[in-house]
Amino acid sequence: MTKEGVCRRTVLTAGVASMISMPFVARGAGNAVRIGVPTVLSGPIALLGTSSRNALMLEADRINAGGGLAGRKIELIFQDGKAQPQETARIAREMINSGGCELLIDATPSSGAFAVQEVVRDLGVLCFHTGSETSSLTADPKLRAPTAFRCARQGVHDSIAGGAYLAQFASEHKFNKWATCSPDYAYGHDTTVQFLDFFRHFKPDIEIITQAWPKLGQPDLTEVITKLIQAKPQALFTLLYAGDLSAFINQGNVYALFGAMSVCTPNVDYPVLNAIKNLPDGIQSGTRYFEDFPALPANKAWGEAYRTRFGEYPTNWSWQSAASMMFLEAAAKKAGTADGKALVPVLSGLTIDCPFGVDGRITMRDDHTIIDYAIGWGHTIAKPPFITGVKAADWGQIIELETAWKKQQGYI
Amino acid sequence: MDLEALVACFGSLACVVTQTTSGLIVGLLLFLVAAGLTLIFGVLKIVNFAHGTFYMLGAYIAYSVLRASGSYGLAVLAAGAAMAVFGVAFERFLIARVYGGNVLMQLLICYAVVLIFDDLVKLVWGADFHAMGMPDAFQRAPIFIAGGVVPPFYAGLIAVSLCLAALLGLGLGVTRIGKIITAAADNPQMVSALGINTTALFALVFGLGGGLAGLAGALAAPVRSLSPGMGFSVLIESFIITVIGGMGSIAGALLAAIGIGLLRGFGTIGFPLFTDGLIYAAMILVLLLRPSGLFGREMV
């Protein structure tokens, strides 16, 4: 330490510390629209953040090459909230208050999205949630924020589609004894309850003989797996995802779990499948993102463009993030401005051409959540394309049962 | 709470065998991490918050060596050796500078190392998780003992972990260097006064601790997701084990680790939403009844 109290080492340390804490910026031009992206770039669910970031960069470059949002280039600011709600909320607030961001794309799971929702409600900025699948975020009018839109699949939609598919699967195989294994936080609990409600709606005679709730990011799932094996269910429904799902499959393989019961999950993403050395055949799986479903040239082309640029497969979070940019682009074009507040009324009820829509179109419903995106179920095979025999969900049935569910919950 | 299921499990030999094996593997892997942690504290009185980083780096190094060589045995040895060297370097270049200093400074150095290496792992291996996959030699059907399921890989892990625990115990209790380490834990000034090179001794202790954590990371890697920051969750449980066993006690760490493993194994059946709570409750109970831990010495 120098006599003046500030030495070279202190200055260097402060400099390095400030460099480390600087956000990752995908730069645009001087008059750019700064979009803040709080996300998760570390830990077992970093895949959510990295694959969202890739998709957003891909779309931002495409939009910028076409002239930008109402003539303004897009500049994306990414920061890691480490899947911690408080940290994510702090980042989101700083992005708006002092980071020069005009709007947010919240690429965090439900644990972060609910925290960001309150920041958005407070600041009144336009926000797309692209990672949260917990239905209540937008379904519950008390939780819905006037300027926040969910551009992500919803647990209730997946539960209806999954319930219908698995009821048929269970009837065909006479599987009545089921177990569940889902992460121990809002998404895992809420969506498991929803799934079971709809599963029972389609097949009332099922029995849930055991349930396991590992923590998000729990490194060792051994005791969970042995508990499931001991209970001897005929089939298992799990909402584990990303690194947790990979660990579950790897550790389950050690115990021959996949020979002891049929495993069903809506959460299998390409990179998870690709990372597993011994992927068991026959896991009943939802199509999170699948280049061949919907079988549209635009979907295939988008998946190939992503793989070409980043050298890896896109995820469910990738298409959801990309779709948020497509909505933003379409709304800005329609409104003739990139001003977030002006885009809010335009976005509500907007239907856009989108490669991820079941018929090439997705609608942002007036309750600020998307519908008509591709939902299908098939079963895994060990090699690409990893999922085969995909059956499309019936959106008419999804909307009908979702409406009944919302009435039952007192949301409408 | 599902006490009926727990009672049913205790009434079934198959369930007891499966959950006991599961508890042993969870506990013994944690022991390998906690042993180094408690050893370092016992000798140096340093609470090494960077210990989880040794575990994480061990797992990643094993992952890369396995991919390059195809040999899991080599991957485990390389991870253990690399982290032993890393432990020595960590002690010599960083921790040695704050011996006897402010505890806050020690914590800050450890925390800085955690953050730096989490980011370096992101740069080298990427932020996304990796899955090592099961080595070919262990891709075998589980063994059934009294109806209970015991995977060959886990049986191997239990054997290796118990051997390491025995070697560590024997090494500390029988060999000259082990006795010096034990003596240094009791009275470092006296050891120094006897002309023993404590500088080398302290580096050796950190090397041993780092090597054990690296081995644990490599042994666990085939069945876990590798991701930056993965050492943190292991670190918390390792600290709990160290506290329950008694800071500085290897035997205490072993007993506490097996106890925690079994608590997890059977707790998940009887208390599926309170398994972590059980572990913390056990820690509180031990702290209340025996504040220095099961095998710890009373603070004077």
Side-chain angles (χ1 to χ4, degrees):
Chain A
M1 186 68 73
T2 62
K3 284 176 186 172
E4 288 76 19
V6 180
C7 68
R8 188 177 52 180
R9 186 178 292 185
T10 309
V11 173
L12 278 172
T13 308
V16 170
S18 60
M19 280 173 67
I20 289 169
S21 63
M22 275 170 68
F24 176 86
V25 181
R27 291 201 178 281
N31 185 31
V33 181
R34 277 197 155 198
I35 302 177
V37 188
T39 186
V40 182
L41 296 170
S42 53
I45 56 168
L47 178 64
L48 186 158
T50 54
S51 63
S52 299
R53 181 178 64 189
N54 290 348
L56 289 170
M57 288 165 61
L58 189 69
E59 289 305 305
D61 289 352
R62 180 186 62 75
I63 294 168
N64 285 342
L69 287 179
R72 294 171 68 193
K73 300 283 185 191
I74 295 170
E75 188 176 309
L76 298 165
I77 315 290
F78 298 94
Q79 266 194 283
D80 183 9
K82 300 179 173 61
Q84 302 294 324
Q86 298 92 332
E87 178 69 0
T88 306
R90 184 189 66 76
I91 286 170
R93 192 175 287 279
E94 281 184 8
M95 282 172 159
I96 299 297
N97 285 345
S98 55
C101 294
E102 295 175 44
L103 55 106
L104 296 172
I105 293 179
D106 162 41
T108 64
S110 298
S111 54
F114 279 84
V116 172
Q117 183 84 326
E118 295 316 308
V119 174
V120 170
R121 193 191 312 282
D122 184 31
L123 300 178
V125 293
L126 173 60
C127 172
F128 288 96
H129 298 289
T130 63
S132 172
E133 300 174 21
T134 306
S135 299
S136 58
L137 182 71
T138 51
D140 184 347
K142 293 192 198 84
L143 293 175
R144 199 184 304 145
T147 59
F149 295 82
R150 183 213 303 272
C151 194
R153 61 196 314 123
Q154 249 194 94
V156 68
H157 296 165
D158 269 332
S159 298
I160 295 166
Y165 175 86
L166 293 179
Q168 192 181 350
F169 170 74
S171 294
E172 283 169 7
H173 294 83
K174 296 185 171 54
F175 288 164
N176 292 329
K177 289 187 175 180
W178 284 69
T180 70
C181 176
S182 298
D184 188 12
Y185 74 106
Y187 161 71
H189 284 273
D190 292 357
T191 308
T192 297
V193 168
Q194 275 172 2
F195 167 78
L196 292 178
D197 282 348
F198 290 110
F199 193 14
R200 288 194 177 102
H201 171 86
F202 293 109
K203 187 168 170 53
D205 60 341
I206 58 152
E207 183 189 355
I208 303 301
I209 59 171
T210 192
Q211 294 191 284
W213 305 100
K215 294 277 180 290
L216 188 65
Q218 182 174 319
D220 199 326
L221 298 159
T222 306
E223 77 270 12
V224 170
I225 288 164
T226 53
K227 174 190 170 171
L228 293 169
I229 289 172
Q230 289 304 321
K232 295 189 173 65
Q234 293 168 306
L236 167 74
F237 175 78
T238 178
L239 288 172
L240 296 176
Y241 61 94
D244 288 351
L245 181 60
S246 166
F248 180 79
I249 294 176
N250 279 321
Q251 293 175 31
N253 269 332
V254 172
Y255 277 95
L257 178 134
F258 298 93
M261 64 194 77
S262 280
V263 176
C264 312
T265 173
N267 287 349
V268 173
D269 269 300
Y270 268 139
V272 175
L273 297 166
N274 205 32
I276 295 166
K277 191 176 169 190
N278 302 304
L279 177 69
D281 284 347
I283 294 177
Q284 302 302 311
S285 167
T287 56
R288 302 274 288 172
Y289 174 74
F290 198 37
E291 273 179 30
D292 297 331
F293 179 76
L296 299 170
N299 184 30
K300 190 88 179 166
W302 189 86
E304 283 174 0
Y306 184 105
R307 269 191 291 129
T308 304
R309 175 155 171 188
F310 301 107
E312 61 189 42
Y313 285 100
T315 65
N316 173 65
W317 302 296
S318 305
W319 83 252
Q320 291 174 171
S321 295
S324 73
M325 294 291 273
M326 293 172 189
F327 269 108
L328 194 57
E329 180 188 25
K333 194 172 178 184
K334 194 171 175 183
T337 176
D339 176 56
K341 282 179 183 156
L343 297 182
V344 169
V346 178
L347 279 163
S348 193
L350 183 67
T351 297
I352 62 167
D353 291 329
C354 183
F356 320 115
V358 72
D359 60 354
R361 289 157 73 82
I362 292 182
T363 296
M364 179 63 74
R365 214 166 47 183
D366 55 10
D367 61 349
H368 294 197
T369 198
I370 55 169
I371 55 168
D372 292 337
Y373 52 89
I375 304 183
W377 277 74
H379 60 270
T380 58
I381 50 174
K383 292 176 182 173
F386 299 118
I387 299 175
T388 188
V390 177
K391 292 177 185 169
D394 176 354
W395 265 102
Q397 184 183 51
I398 291 174
I399 301 289
E400 181 190 332
L401 290 174
E402 182 197 14
T403 306
W405 171 79
K406 285 168 97 171
K407 282 182 183 163
Q408 189 187 29
Q409 299 295 315
Y411 294 158
I412 53 176
Chain B
M1 196 159 68
D2 193 354
L3 290 179
E4 201 179 317
L6 187 60
V7 171
C9 181
F10 279 120
S12 153
L13 190 56
C15 185
V16 170
V17 168
T18 305
Q19 295 309 111
T20 302
T21 316
S22 136
L24 281 176
I25 188 60
V26 171
L28 286 170
L29 279 175
L30 282 173
F31 164 74
L32 292 182
V33 184
L37 199 62
T38 203
L39 192 66
I40 288 167
F41 179 82
V43 177
L44 304 167
K45 302 294 178 279
I46 295 278
V47 181
N48 181 21
F49 272 91
H51 209 68
T53 298
F54 297 179
Y55 169 87
M56 173 184 73
L57 290 175
Y60 272 101
I61 288 168
Y63 170 77
S64 291
V65 173
L66 179 67
R67 282 173 70 100
S69 69
S71 166
Y72 181 58
L74 182 65
V76 172
L77 290 175
M83 293 327 299
V85 173
F86 181 80
V88 170
F90 177 60
E91 192 274 341
R92 280 295 79 214
F93 293 114
L94 296 173
I95 293 295
R97 294 166 188 268
V98 291
Y99 282 143
N102 191 330
V103 174
L104 187 61
M105 188 63 80
Q106 295 171 359
L107 289 179
L108 283 173
I109 284 180
C110 290
Y111 192 50
V113 166
V114 170
L115 294 178
I116 288 166
F117 278 91
D118 279 358
D119 279 356
L120 283 176
V121 164
K122 275 190 222 170
L123 287 175
V124 176
W125 285 280
D128 293 340
F129 74 90
H130 292 282
M132 178 193 272
M134 186 55 59
D136 293 339
F138 289 101
Q139 285 183 23
R140 296 167 193 275
I143 305 159
F144 288 88
I145 301 172
V149 191
V150 183
F153 178 68
Y154 281 177
L157 280 193
I158 291 171
V160 169
S161 301
L162 284 175
C163 282
L164 285 169
L167 277 175
L168 193 61
L170 278 174
L172 288 174
V174 175
T175 65
R176 182 172 180 274
I177 189 71
K179 287 177 178 172
I180 292 171
I181 290 173
T182 310
D186 279 345
N187 193 333
Q189 288 83 10
M190 181 60 76
V191 170
S192 182
L194 289 171
I196 289 166
N197 182 353
T198 50
T199 302
L201 185 71
F202 292 170
L204 176 71
V205 168
F206 252 94
L208 190 57
L212 285 170
L215 282 176
L219 290 170
V223 287
R224 293 192 182 172
S225 290
L226 278 56
S227 61
M230 65 184 279
F232 187 68
S233 56
V234 176
L235 182 70
I236 293 171
E237 288 199 283
S238 301
F239 269 120
I240 294 172
I241 285 165
T242 307
V243 169
I244 292 177
M247 301 286 274
S249 167
I250 298 289
L254 179 62
L255 194 67
I258 292 175
I260 293 290
L262 293 176
L263 206 55
R264 273 203 169 283
F266 289 98
T268 195
I269 290 180
F271 307 89
L273 287 171
F274 195 64
T275 314
D276 282 355
L278 284 178
I279 291 165
Y280 288 101
M283 183 180 76
I284 290 170
L285 194 67
V286 170
L287 284 176
L288 287 175
L289 297 176
R290 198 173 161 78
S292 55
L294 295 175
F295 285 67
R297 296 188 181 166
E298 296 291 339
M299 298 286 184
V300 180

